[in-house]
Short mmCIF file of all heavy atoms in Angstrom, two decimals:
data_model
loop_
_atom_site.label_atom_id
_atom_site.label_comp_id
_atom_site.label_asym_id
_atom_site.label_seq_id
_atom_site.Cartn_x
_atom_site.Cartn_y
_atom_site.Cartn_z
N PRO X 95 50.80 368.10 223.37
CA PRO X 95 51.78 369.09 222.90
C PRO X 95 52.66 368.59 221.75
O PRO X 95 53.29 369.40 221.07
CB PRO X 95 52.61 369.39 224.14
CG PRO X 95 52.45 368.19 225.03
CD PRO X 95 51.05 367.71 224.78
N GLU X 96 52.71 367.28 221.53
CA GLU X 96 53.56 366.72 220.47
C GLU X 96 52.73 366.46 219.20
O GLU X 96 51.54 366.17 219.29
CB GLU X 96 54.20 365.41 220.94
CG GLU X 96 55.12 365.57 222.13
CD GLU X 96 56.30 366.48 221.84
OE1 GLU X 96 56.80 366.46 220.69
OE2 GLU X 96 56.72 367.22 222.75
N PRO X 97 53.36 366.55 218.04
CA PRO X 97 52.64 366.26 216.78
C PRO X 97 52.15 364.81 216.75
O PRO X 97 52.74 363.92 217.37
CB PRO X 97 53.70 366.51 215.70
CG PRO X 97 54.74 367.35 216.36
CD PRO X 97 54.76 366.96 217.80
N ARG X 98 51.08 364.58 216.03
CA ARG X 98 50.53 363.23 215.85
C ARG X 98 50.20 363.02 214.37
O ARG X 98 50.03 363.99 213.62
CB ARG X 98 49.23 363.02 216.65
CG ARG X 98 49.18 363.67 217.99
CD ARG X 98 50.18 363.14 218.95
NE ARG X 98 49.75 361.93 219.64
CZ ARG X 98 50.36 361.48 220.74
NH1 ARG X 98 51.39 362.15 221.25
NH2 ARG X 98 49.94 360.38 221.33
N GLU X 99 50.09 361.77 214.00
CA GLU X 99 49.57 361.44 212.68
C GLU X 99 48.15 360.93 212.87
O GLU X 99 47.92 360.01 213.66
CB GLU X 99 50.41 360.39 211.98
CG GLU X 99 49.90 360.12 210.56
CD GLU X 99 50.84 359.25 209.73
OE1 GLU X 99 50.73 358.01 209.86
OE2 GLU X 99 51.67 359.83 208.99
N VAL X 100 47.21 361.53 212.15
CA VAL X 100 45.80 361.22 212.30
C VAL X 100 45.36 360.34 211.14
O VAL X 100 45.73 360.59 209.99
CB VAL X 100 44.95 362.51 212.31
CG1 VAL X 100 43.50 362.19 212.54
CG2 VAL X 100 45.46 363.46 213.37
N ALA X 101 44.56 359.34 211.45
CA ALA X 101 43.99 358.48 210.42
C ALA X 101 42.56 358.14 210.81
O ALA X 101 42.31 357.64 211.90
CB ALA X 101 44.81 357.22 210.25
N PHE X 102 41.62 358.44 209.92
CA PHE X 102 40.22 358.15 210.22
C PHE X 102 39.39 358.11 208.93
O PHE X 102 39.80 358.65 207.90
CB PHE X 102 39.63 359.20 211.17
CG PHE X 102 39.61 360.59 210.62
CD1 PHE X 102 38.51 361.06 209.91
CD2 PHE X 102 40.68 361.45 210.80
CE1 PHE X 102 38.50 362.36 209.40
CE2 PHE X 102 40.68 362.74 210.29
CZ PHE X 102 39.58 363.19 209.59
N ARG X 103 38.24 357.48 209.02
CA ARG X 103 37.25 357.51 207.96
C ARG X 103 36.18 358.52 208.34
O ARG X 103 35.84 358.65 209.52
CB ARG X 103 36.63 356.13 207.74
CG ARG X 103 37.60 355.12 207.13
CD ARG X 103 36.91 353.76 206.91
NE ARG X 103 37.78 352.86 206.18
CZ ARG X 103 38.71 352.09 206.71
NH1 ARG X 103 38.90 352.13 208.03
NH2 ARG X 103 39.44 351.29 205.97
N THR X 104 35.63 359.22 207.36
CA THR X 104 34.66 360.26 207.67
C THR X 104 33.30 359.70 208.07
O THR X 104 32.50 360.41 208.67
CB THR X 104 34.48 361.21 206.47
OG1 THR X 104 34.10 360.45 205.32
CG2 THR X 104 35.78 361.95 206.18
N GLY X 105 33.03 358.44 207.69
CA GLY X 105 31.83 357.79 208.21
C GLY X 105 30.54 358.10 207.49
O GLY X 105 29.46 357.68 207.92
N GLY X 106 30.58 358.83 206.36
CA GLY X 106 29.35 359.15 205.64
C GLY X 106 29.09 358.21 204.49
O GLY X 106 29.82 357.25 204.24
N ASP X 107 28.02 358.50 203.73
CA ASP X 107 27.65 357.67 202.60
C ASP X 107 28.72 357.67 201.52
O ASP X 107 28.92 356.70 200.82
CB ASP X 107 26.32 358.15 201.99
CG ASP X 107 25.16 357.95 202.97
OD1 ASP X 107 25.29 357.10 203.85
OD2 ASP X 107 24.16 358.67 202.84
N GLY X 108 29.42 358.81 201.41
CA GLY X 108 30.44 358.91 200.39
C GLY X 108 31.82 358.57 200.91
O GLY X 108 32.83 358.99 200.35
N ASP X 109 31.89 357.81 202.00
CA ASP X 109 33.17 357.49 202.61
C ASP X 109 34.11 356.85 201.59
O ASP X 109 33.75 355.90 200.90
CB ASP X 109 32.94 356.52 203.77
CG ASP X 109 34.18 356.35 204.62
OD1 ASP X 109 35.09 357.16 204.49
OD2 ASP X 109 34.22 355.37 205.39
N GLY X 110 35.29 357.41 201.48
CA GLY X 110 36.27 356.92 200.53
C GLY X 110 36.37 357.77 199.29
O GLY X 110 37.32 357.66 198.54
N ASP X 111 35.36 358.63 199.08
CA ASP X 111 35.34 359.46 197.88
C ASP X 111 35.51 360.94 198.18
O ASP X 111 35.89 361.71 197.30
CB ASP X 111 34.02 359.27 197.12
CG ASP X 111 33.80 357.82 196.72
OD1 ASP X 111 34.79 357.17 196.33
OD2 ASP X 111 32.66 357.35 196.80
N ASP X 112 35.19 361.35 199.41
CA ASP X 112 35.05 362.77 199.68
C ASP X 112 36.37 363.45 200.04
O ASP X 112 37.16 362.93 200.84
CB ASP X 112 34.06 363.00 200.83
CG ASP X 112 32.64 362.70 200.41
OD1 ASP X 112 32.30 362.98 199.25
OD2 ASP X 112 31.88 362.19 201.25
N LEU X 113 36.57 364.62 199.47
CA LEU X 113 37.69 365.48 199.82
C LEU X 113 37.35 366.26 201.08
O LEU X 113 36.22 366.71 201.25
CB LEU X 113 37.96 366.44 198.66
CG LEU X 113 39.01 367.52 198.86
CD1 LEU X 113 40.40 366.90 198.88
CD2 LEU X 113 38.91 368.56 197.75
N LEU X 114 38.30 366.39 201.99
CA LEU X 114 38.14 367.25 203.15
C LEU X 114 38.74 368.60 202.81
O LEU X 114 39.95 368.70 202.57
CB LEU X 114 38.83 366.65 204.37
CG LEU X 114 38.17 365.43 205.02
CD1 LEU X 114 39.01 364.91 206.17
CD2 LEU X 114 36.77 365.78 205.51
N VAL X 115 37.90 369.64 202.76
CA VAL X 115 38.33 370.98 202.37
C VAL X 115 38.65 371.78 203.62
O VAL X 115 37.79 372.03 204.47
CB VAL X 115 37.25 371.69 201.54
CG1 VAL X 115 37.71 373.08 201.15
CG2 VAL X 115 36.90 370.85 200.32
N ASP X 116 39.89 372.20 203.77
CA ASP X 116 40.35 372.97 204.91
C ASP X 116 39.79 374.39 204.81
O ASP X 116 40.17 375.15 203.93
CB ASP X 116 41.88 372.99 204.92
CG ASP X 116 42.46 373.61 206.18
OD1 ASP X 116 41.72 374.33 206.88
OD2 ASP X 116 43.66 373.41 206.44
N VAL X 117 38.90 374.76 205.73
CA VAL X 117 38.26 376.08 205.64
C VAL X 117 39.08 377.17 206.34
O VAL X 117 38.77 378.35 206.22
CB VAL X 117 36.82 376.05 206.21
CG1 VAL X 117 35.95 375.09 205.43
CG2 VAL X 117 36.82 375.70 207.70
N LEU X 118 40.13 376.78 207.06
CA LEU X 118 40.98 377.76 207.72
C LEU X 118 42.33 377.91 207.02
O LEU X 118 43.16 378.71 207.43
CB LEU X 118 41.22 377.35 209.19
CG LEU X 118 39.98 377.28 210.08
CD1 LEU X 118 40.38 376.83 211.48
CD2 LEU X 118 39.26 378.62 210.15
N GLY X 119 42.56 377.13 205.99
CA GLY X 119 43.83 377.20 205.27
C GLY X 119 43.71 376.45 203.95
O GLY X 119 42.62 376.34 203.38
N ASP X 120 44.82 375.89 203.49
CA ASP X 120 44.80 375.18 202.22
C ASP X 120 45.34 373.76 202.35
O ASP X 120 45.80 373.16 201.39
CB ASP X 120 45.60 375.95 201.16
CG ASP X 120 47.04 376.19 201.58
OD1 ASP X 120 47.43 375.72 202.67
OD2 ASP X 120 47.78 376.84 200.83
N ARG X 121 45.27 373.20 203.57
CA ARG X 121 45.76 371.86 203.79
C ARG X 121 44.61 370.86 203.64
O ARG X 121 44.15 370.24 204.60
CB ARG X 121 46.42 371.75 205.16
CG ARG X 121 47.66 372.61 205.30
CD ARG X 121 48.23 372.56 206.72
NE ARG X 121 47.32 373.17 207.70
CZ ARG X 121 47.56 373.22 209.01
NH1 ARG X 121 48.67 372.69 209.49
NH2 ARG X 121 46.69 373.78 209.82
N HIS X 122 44.11 370.71 202.40
CA HIS X 122 43.02 369.80 202.14
C HIS X 122 43.49 368.35 202.28
O HIS X 122 44.69 368.07 202.23
CB HIS X 122 42.46 370.04 200.74
CG HIS X 122 42.23 371.49 200.43
ND1 HIS X 122 41.50 372.31 201.26
CD2 HIS X 122 42.65 372.27 199.40
CE1 HIS X 122 41.46 373.53 200.75
NE2 HIS X 122 42.17 373.53 199.62
N SER X 123 42.55 367.45 202.43
CA SER X 123 42.91 366.03 202.60
C SER X 123 42.09 365.16 201.67
O SER X 123 40.86 365.24 201.65
CB SER X 123 42.68 365.60 204.06
OG SER X 123 42.90 364.22 204.22
N LYS X 124 42.79 364.30 200.92
CA LYS X 124 42.14 363.32 200.07
C LYS X 124 42.25 361.95 200.74
O LYS X 124 43.29 361.61 201.32
CB LYS X 124 42.79 363.27 198.70
CG LYS X 124 42.60 364.52 197.86
CD LYS X 124 43.24 364.35 196.50
CE LYS X 124 43.03 365.61 195.64
NZ LYS X 124 43.65 365.47 194.28
N PRO X 125 41.21 361.13 200.66
CA PRO X 125 41.28 359.81 201.26
C PRO X 125 42.26 358.91 200.51
O PRO X 125 42.45 359.04 199.30
CB PRO X 125 39.86 359.28 201.16
CG PRO X 125 39.26 360.02 200.00
CD PRO X 125 39.89 361.38 200.02
N GLY X 126 42.90 358.00 201.25
CA GLY X 126 43.81 357.05 200.64
C GLY X 126 43.06 355.88 200.02
O GLY X 126 41.81 355.82 200.06
N PRO X 127 43.78 354.93 199.47
CA PRO X 127 43.15 353.76 198.85
C PRO X 127 42.25 352.97 199.80
O PRO X 127 41.29 352.33 199.37
CB PRO X 127 44.36 352.92 198.41
CG PRO X 127 45.48 353.89 198.28
CD PRO X 127 45.26 354.91 199.33
N ASP X 128 42.56 353.04 201.10
CA ASP X 128 41.73 352.31 202.08
C ASP X 128 40.54 353.12 202.56
O ASP X 128 39.81 352.69 203.46
CB ASP X 128 42.57 351.86 203.26
CG ASP X 128 43.18 353.05 204.02
OD1 ASP X 128 43.04 354.21 203.55
OD2 ASP X 128 43.80 352.83 205.09
N GLY X 129 40.35 354.31 201.97
CA GLY X 129 39.22 355.16 202.34
C GLY X 129 39.46 356.03 203.56
O GLY X 129 38.57 356.76 203.99
#
């Protein structure tokens, strides 16, 4: 029930480069310097 901060790698071949496109809104996510 409480907010959390999420941190993860997507695990694919393009890990560190890929944008996560929010398909239910506009809160897209770009990877940080650590991927």
